[in-house]
Amino acid sequence: MRNRILILVILIFVPYSNKGQEREWLLNKDSVFTLVSSEHFKLYSFDGHLTTETKLDILKEREVAFQKISDFFEIKPNLSVNIFLFRNEQLKYNLTGHRGLGWGFDSTIVEVFNDSFRMDPYHELVHILGYTIHKTPALIDEGTAVYLSQLYGDNAFSKMIGYPTKSINEILLLHRKTEGLINISTLLLYDKIGNSNNFVLEYCTSASFVEFLIRKFGKQKFLELYKSISTVNNAGNEMIFEKIYGAEFNQIENAWTKQIRINKL
């Protein structure tokens, strides 16, 4: 069971590209795909893949996600997001040269969509809308994406990795038993999550810490943090934490650790 979960997470969150094709496939998108649009989305799919009703339902769902995420960030982005949906992973790979069930870049989302698998509509969209504000380290970037997909998407991350009834903290405690603890100060140095065998733990730790910051100190301080810390200023990020939250970084981390231990009881 554990190996199956890891394989699924690799396919979804740690995909890789065939560098040869890059993004040339986008040049012919209008001749290859059919298009249906809404206020903030352009939905591309192959003719016959999805019914018109299904496409409109998808767009309606994505517009709800767009609004909820925008409200969380307190922004009104003037942004059009491209969504490309494929019947299966092989077809997606054949055209794009990109392996994996889901992929996001710039203002584009590429996903496999069929009766057996549908991506969470929130995770990649959090990244896209979040990047209109600031590019944050992976701890905050991925932590926010998982946190909001859990909050708005009915435990979407938990369901995706095989724990549909468990919270992020409960999953975190399960993985900590076998994989140990990843220090928040270590995760703060990461530009990306997914380069190790502990990426489920990394995702859960990041999301748990983001949830802690918001619940303990409020969303406004978190948004101030989101706009302030940077992937190009690792040395100063702990100082930014301390200035915003009025405590030493290790005190904030210890408070989070204490909360996790309380949840364990």
Side-chain angles (χ1 to χ4, degrees):
M1 177 65 176
R2 176 175 169 74
N3 288 338
R4 290 174 60 191
I5 292 171
L6 290 178
I7 290 170
L8 178 60
V9 174
I10 289 171
L11 286 171
I12 296 167
F13 292 104
V14 199
Y16 60 90
S17 297
N18 180 327
K19 297 297 184 180
Q21 292 192 34
E22 296 179 340
R23 298 175 189 173
E24 294 180 4
W25 60 278
L26 287 171
L27 299 176
N28 299 315
K29 65 181 184 300
D30 293 329
S31 61
V32 174
F33 298 95
T34 60
L35 171 64
V36 178
S37 300
S38 63
E39 181 180 1
H40 296 106
F41 294 93
K42 293 180 179 179
L43 178 63
Y44 294 90
S45 61
F46 285 109
D47 190 30
H49 174 200
L50 303 167
T51 66
T52 299
E53 182 180 7
T54 298
K55 293 176 187 179
L56 294 176
D57 286 343
I58 291 169
L59 288 174
K60 188 179 299 183
E61 181 183 50
R62 301 295 170 121
E63 289 290 351
V64 169
F66 191 100
Q67 189 60 56
K68 287 184 177 180
I69 297 166
S70 298
D71 288 347
F72 173 83
F73 283 125
E74 299 181 0
I75 58 175
K76 294 182 178 180
N78 182 19
L79 186 67
S80 179
V81 180
N82 297 316
I83 303 175
F84 293 85
L85 299 182
F86 291 85
R87 193 186 306 273
N88 55 59
E89 198 275 334
Q90 186 61 51
L91 188 60
K92 171 180 165 292
Y93 172 69
N94 289 344
L95 181 63
T96 69
H98 187 278
R99 295 194 185 278
L101 299 173
W103 178 28
F105 60 90
D106 301 331
S107 58
T108 298
I109 297 172
V110 186
E111 299 175 357
V112 171
F113 187 100
N114 55 44
D115 291 338
S116 301
F117 183 82
R118 300 184 180 187
M119 287 287 289
D120 153 47
Y122 290 93
H123 188 106
E124 289 298 336
L125 193 55
V126 172
H127 291 313
I128 289 174
L129 295 181
Y131 293 159
T132 67
I133 303 171
H134 194 55
K135 183 67 170 70
T136 64
L139 168 69
I140 302 300
D141 183 26
E142 294 294 352
T144 305
V146 174
Y147 167 70
L148 290 181
S149 71
Q150 286 283 109
L151 181 65
Y152 298 141
D154 190 24
N155 286 350
F157 184 82
S158 298
K159 292 175 180 176
M160 189 169 290
I161 63 172
Y163 300 99
T165 64
K166 294 189 179 300
S167 69
I168 287 294
N169 282 340
E170 289 171 331
I171 299 170
L172 173 59
L173 290 172
L174 287 173
H175 280 263
R176 281 179 57 183
K177 291 178 181 178
T178 57
E179 300 173 39
L181 174 69
I182 301 177
N183 292 331
I184 297 296
S185 54
T186 299
L187 277 178
L188 184 58
L189 299 175
Y190 288 14
D191 289 334
K192 295 181 179 179
I193 284 177
N195 296 325
S196 75
N197 293 327
N198 294 337
F199 47 80
V200 172
L201 185 63
E202 292 169 358
Y203 277 112
C204 289
T205 300
S206 299
S208 175
F209 188 64
V210 165
E211 180 182 53
F212 165 76
L213 292 176
I214 293 171
R215 290 188 174 182
K216 178 72 173 178
F217 301 103
K219 190 180 78 168
Q220 292 307 314
K221 282 187 179 294
F222 179 77
L223 292 180
E224 183 181 354
L225 175 73
Y226 197 98
K227 297 172 184 177
S228 302
I229 62 173
S230 173
T231 57
V232 297
N233 186 30
N234 286 334
N237 282 335
E238 287 194 12
M239 294 178 61
I240 292 171
F241 259 95
E242 292 171 357
K243 180 179 179 181
I244 291 174
Y245 289 107
E248 293 183 3
F249 187 80
N250 65 338
Q251 292 178 320
I252 300 171
E253 183 171 4
N254 288 340
W256 166 76
T257 303
K258 182 179 179 181
Q259 177 217 279
I260 298 301
R261 289 173 178 167
I262 291 173
N263 286 344
K264 186 178 179 180
L265 297 178

